[in-house]
Amino acid sequence: MLKCFTNDTLNYILPVDWHSLKDNQETDFLLLDNNDLIFYRDKKKFISANDCYQSMLQEKHLSIVQLVKRRGKLPRELIDGTGGWGKDALSFAQAGIHTTVFERQELPVIFMHYALQRWFAEYKDFIQIHHACFSQHDIKTTECVYLDPMFFDDKKCLSKKSMQSLYALYPSDKKQQFLDLKSGLLKISMDTLIMKQPRLAEPWIKNHMKHERFNRTCRFDIYYINKKLLLEQDMIE
């Protein structure tokens, strides 16, 4: 568990190991003050919550909500299996969608809890945050699953500091990521699956109707699963 140092009584409930600032002997740690929650790596500021969520606070994530509409309607519930910093999941919650988000890494989960309490408290009843891999879920059915996998070498340029930091902190194996997400997908029936991909990447799913939407840097594959379970033969290796 990451240590978080503070001299303030700010009443945040975070999954951290709390300590007084005067006791700090760490190289990697969190620092909480009145203005921000900051992560230090090798005793140098690496990234802060303000860095991560500025785009959301400037309402630059509204377009993501349009992607999950089906027949012009938003789903009542959605699973985000690749939470990251949680900006997409928080955007879904803001839209009134009951969102369950899975994120396996510790720091993004801490930042999500902080952001939810500091900036987005009115949406707390619309989001559940799980510090776990999507493959570990026990959910049987949902309306929509949203996945934004790490692009790794498929994405040559990471322009946003928050994304650069996520990739730098958590290098991972592309094949293992596919296997983990596949394991999670095969356990759950859904109406719609939305998969964010590099523009020229091979799709993950076959045998189901698919619609594609593009933005400047990536592609969204929208699959219509229609309350069925995906099968092994539906997955493209």
Side-chain angles (χ1 to χ4, degrees):
M1 181 175 284
L2 269 173
K3 291 184 178 181
C4 184
F5 295 89
T6 185
N7 283 334
D8 301 305
T9 305
L10 300 173
N11 297 320
Y12 286 105
I13 301 172
L14 303 176
V16 299
D17 184 10
W18 293 104
H19 292 270
S20 173
L21 190 59
K22 64 181 176 60
D23 298 326
N24 189 3
Q25 303 289 325
E26 303 297 311
T27 55
D28 295 353
F29 61 93
L30 287 158
L31 177 64
L32 176 68
D33 61 25
N34 281 302
N35 300 310
D36 208 353
L37 177 64
I38 306 166
F39 175 64
Y40 285 80
R41 193 181 196 190
D42 296 328
K43 296 187 177 181
K44 296 179 182 178
K45 179 182 175 181
F46 189 80
I47 192 167
S48 77
N50 279 322
D51 295 330
C52 282
Y53 299 101
Q54 272 305 308
S55 60
M56 274 205 73
L57 297 173
Q58 296 167 6
E59 299 187 340
K60 293 181 179 180
H61 277 258
L62 299 179
S63 61
I64 195 71
V65 175
Q66 300 304 312
L67 287 172
V68 303
K69 284 185 176 179
R70 184 164 178 178
R71 301 186 185 95
K73 295 182 179 180
L74 292 173
R76 291 166 298 174
E77 60 180 18
L78 177 149
I79 296 173
D80 181 343
T82 52
W85 300 118
K87 288 181 282 190
D88 291 339
L90 287 165
S91 296
F92 298 139
Q94 282 183 296
I97 303 169
H98 289 275
T99 302
T100 302
V101 56
F102 290 87
E103 171 52 49
R104 68 193 306 168
Q105 306 296 352
E106 181 181 20
L107 182 63
V109 170
I110 295 169
F111 271 25
M112 273 191 271
H113 280 287
Y114 174 81
L116 188 61
Q117 292 171 62
R118 180 176 178 187
W119 294 300
F120 308 109
E122 66 259 50
Y123 309 113
K124 63 181 176 61
D125 292 337
F126 287 91
I127 189 166
Q128 292 183 341
I129 301 168
H130 294 275
H131 183 190
C133 180
F134 176 57
S135 64
Q136 298 172 342
H137 78 78
D138 57 2
I139 301 169
K140 301 299 182 184
T141 185
T142 189
E143 289 183 64
C144 183
V145 174
Y146 174 83
L147 298 178
D148 180 2
M150 290 280 208
F151 289 179
F152 303 105
D153 293 339
D154 295 323
K155 191 165 184 177
K156 303 300 182 183
C157 179
L158 296 169
S159 57
K160 295 180 180 178
K161 180 178 179 180
S162 62
M163 289 307 300
Q164 291 173 343
S165 300
L166 197 61
Y167 281 60
L169 282 170
Y170 305 115
S172 187
D173 180 75
K174 185 176 179 180
K175 183 176 181 180
Q176 186 60 52
Q177 177 184 228
F178 173 81
L179 293 174
D180 288 340
L181 295 180
K182 173 183 171 182
S183 176
L185 285 172
L186 293 177
K187 294 193 292 182
I188 185 168
S189 66
M190 68 200 82
D191 288 334
T192 309
L193 168 63
I194 301 172
M195 178 82 66
K196 187 176 180 180
Q197 292 283 271
R199 289 179 67 92
L200 300 178
E202 292 294 321
W204 281 37
I205 308 295
K206 59 184 177 181
N207 304 326
H208 289 273
M209 186 183 299
K210 182 181 75 165
H211 175 65
E212 296 177 346
R213 293 190 188 179
F214 293 85
N215 66 17
R216 185 174 58 85
T217 60
C218 66
R219 182 185 83 234
F220 293 91
D221 292 341
I222 303 171
Y223 299 95
Y224 303 108
I225 313 300
N226 298 326
K227 295 183 172 62
K228 297 178 181 177
L229 279 169
L230 288 168
L231 306 174
E232 284 277 355
Q233 54 263 37
D234 295 326
M235 308 294 293
I236 299 173
E237 295 290 345

